[in-house]
Amino acid sequence: MSPNGPPPVKKPNITKMSRNEISTMFAATNWNIAEEKKTTYEESAIKKISNALMKSYRDESLEGLTLVDAIQRLGIEYYFEGEFKAILDRQYHKLCVGAEHSAALYETALRFRLLRQEGYCVSADMFAKFKNENGKFRPELSEDIQGLMSLFEASELRVEAEDILAEAYEYSRQVLDAAMWNPHQSLASVIGHTLKHPHHKSLAKFTAENFLSDFYNRKSMKKELTQLAEKDFYMIRAIYKEELHQILSWWEDLGLFKKMNFARNRPVKWYMWPVAMFPDPSMSDVRTEIIKTVALIYIIDDLFDIFGTLGDLTVFTEAVNRWDFNMVEQLPECMRVCFKALYDITAEIGQHIYTKNGFNPTDSMRKLWSNLCNAYLVEARWSNARYMPSSEDYLKNGAVTSGVPIVLAHLYFLLGEDDGDCKVDISKDSPSIIDNVAIILRLWNDLGGAKDENEDSNDFSFLHFYLNEHKDSSVDSAREHVQQMISDTWTHLNEDYISPNPFSIPFKKICLNLARIVPLMYIYDDNNHLPMLERHMKTLLSLD
């Protein structure tokens, strides 16, 4: 690899807004704080932050890395993409020539994390210098709380068999956990947030508030960053509210929930999936398209779980396989309406992609829906026959029924990743990066303390089938096993992210964001609510 950075990756075929275009959007959006002087200040803040970034680039200082980290944690990195690339390219070059060997733990771990998460090829061997002659992390590091938090954050990007980062994770977690309960530890709340919400597994737009109060205690650029983050928040919220208005109007006009009153009707909650996956203001068009796919997955899932008989579901699935209207004529009205919606929306999305990107993936999308319905049918047959599959067989099929493969494949087409050159048949062979996200979602879903509105109990879950195979295992130990499986799957997902494959870094980041939102969607409280998700929905969408 060149010392100037990683090889260029193919960017999605989307229109990225320039800094001026985003500033124009600030002025054009109708908020209470959008007075002329505040818009002028926002432009000044961007310029000051940009100047500070470029000064750190010239000085090759730690300040540049901490600024990049702060901006990413606030979720406003799309203002400074050029500056980020310049800084990280130079930092990578310094790393390649060995100029950073003497850096302290905080700086070493921060540099490693920022570079790896942007796709640079960096080795974890740089942490060997923090070990003693016995191969253990040096005891004196336990006094460096900031350094250990940085090490813990870096260790979350470990891949399988990366032993030094696995050791770093265990060491830093144990020391930080002990420090958090020390009544004299001034950083206790910061440590708590770090352990609970590591940056690599969190969504910046959802954790920015904690970062502002806990992490960014330095004076440098604090005022400018805070003001820009606040202004960006109101801009994004206005965009999201407008998108949600469009989505609710589309959902009302579609009318599926009227004919299928047994199915879930939560378009606001469903909208949080695309909001989490790609929060960038320039991705509005993609968010309002992919929500249609998300909604159909929920509706068809309920059709199989709640309404259809096995015979009707078999006919419905065969109709999807053949993409044949005639086959559903004898089915109940709600199933006919559902098939028509699937047929029409698939055609509409295919035409949208053709208009935008110059190719029509409708055939591939049909195959993806066929895959999903056939997997639903497998579960329906298991349930009807009271069959107990192995936990492995259940999880393999459950990765498909999670809906992840079809959502990410649709995004692959919407973003223009597939330009018609057939470099990967995403509808036939689900890539590892998609499979691993699907497994994370399926395991979290099954691990949840409750089920979504109309879903059945947790009896038909990975946990249930695992306990059937391991009759000596307690429920608590089985849940711990599933949590470890999720953690292990994250290491596989990290490897998919940093390894060469046909996907661009932006698409890979969408995959990571989908995995990041999953716990919020499935961690219920004792009242069968999703408190963290509901709080973020109210904040981001300005809901009453």
Side-chain angles (χ1 to χ4, degrees), residues 85 180 267 293 400 414 435 523:
K85 186 177 187 311
M180 181 175 61
T293 303
V400 181
L414 282 165
D435 282 345
I523 297 181

Side-chain angles (χ1 to χ4, degrees), residues 463 466-481:
L463 201 65
Y466 177 84
L467 285 167
N468 182 62
E469 295 171 340
H470 302 81
K471 299 187 185 302
D472 294 335
S473 176
S474 67
V475 173
D476 287 343
S477 64
R479 293 178 70 86
E480 289 177 5
H481 173 74

Side-chain angles (χ1 to χ4, degrees), residues 106-349:
Y106 172 80
E107 181 178 352
T108 299
L110 177 60
R111 179 179 292 105
F112 172 87
R113 177 170 62 82
L114 293 178
L115 289 172
R116 178 168 280 197
Q117 73 187 19
E118 294 304 316
Y120 293 81
C121 182
V122 289
S123 171
D125 291 345
M126 66 179 71
F127 295 105
K129 65 183 180 182
F130 298 107
K131 288 187 168 186
N132 58 25
E133 61 276 6
N134 297 319
K136 304 293 183 181
F137 282 97
R138 299 199 302 266
E140 61 267 26
L141 294 176
S142 63
E143 303 298 320
D144 183 5
I145 296 300
Q146 291 280 9
L148 287 174
M149 286 192 291
S150 186
L151 180 64
F152 176 79
E153 294 275 20
S155 71
E156 289 286 5
L157 282 91
R158 66 190 180 277
V159 301
E160 191 175 22
E162 206 163 25
D163 294 342
I164 193 168
L165 281 184
E167 294 167 16
Y169 171 79
E170 291 297 337
Y171 172 73
S172 59
R173 183 181 59 82
Q174 291 174 13
V175 175
L176 290 172
D177 188 63
M180 181 175 61
W181 298 105
N182 184 340
H184 305 294
Q185 177 52 255
S186 60
L187 295 174
S189 65
V190 184
I191 296 170
H193 286 138
T194 299
L195 294 174
K196 190 174 182 180
H197 303 293
H199 178 66
H200 181 59
K201 293 182 179 177
S202 303
L203 295 160
K205 290 294 183 185
F206 293 5
T207 57
E209 183 179 358
N210 286 340
F211 175 72
L212 280 172
S213 61
D214 287 345
F215 285 87
Y216 197 62
N217 297 319
R218 298 176 298 109
K219 293 182 179 179
S220 175
M221 292 290 109
K222 182 175 182 179
K223 180 180 179 181
E224 288 80 6
L225 283 172
T226 302
Q227 182 71 20
L228 179 58
E230 176 186 303
K231 193 83 175 201
D232 179 83
F233 167 77
Y234 285 104
M235 178 193 75
I236 288 289
R237 188 164 71 175
I239 293 170
Y240 292 167
K241 288 183 69 176
E242 175 58 29
E243 290 174 10
L244 185 58
H245 175 75
Q246 295 175 27
I247 290 164
L248 293 176
S249 178
W250 166 81
W251 182 242
E252 179 72 24
D253 292 343
L254 185 64
L256 269 183
F257 65 94
K258 300 172 185 175
K259 298 289 186 179
M260 304 176 70
N261 56 12
F262 56 85
R264 282 165 287 185
N265 181 21
R266 295 290 306 275
V268 178
K269 176 186 174 183
W270 303 340
Y271 174 58
M272 293 303 289
W273 290 107
V275 164
M277 285 189 284
F278 28 90
D280 190 316
S282 69
M283 302 288 279
S284 184
D285 175 65
V286 182
R287 282 189 292 270
T288 53
E289 284 299 311
I290 198 61
I291 188 65
K292 300 172 184 178
T293 303
V294 172
L296 283 174
I297 291 170
Y298 276 101
I299 293 297
I300 295 175
D301 183 30
D302 288 343
L303 185 71
F304 277 79
D305 279 354
I306 300 169
F307 180 82
T309 65
L310 184 59
D312 286 346
L313 293 174
T314 302
V315 174
F316 183 88
T317 301
E318 188 59 26
V320 174
N321 291 339
R322 299 185 185 184
W323 213 246
D324 185 356
F325 259 123
N326 295 326
M327 294 196 66
V328 300
E329 287 183 356
Q330 302 305 315
L331 293 178
E333 181 187 14
C334 66
M335 299 183 83
R336 299 197 306 271
V337 169
C338 182
F339 183 83
K340 185 179 187 306
L342 173 61
Y343 189 99
D344 291 344
I345 290 171
T346 300
E348 290 168 8
I349 294 176

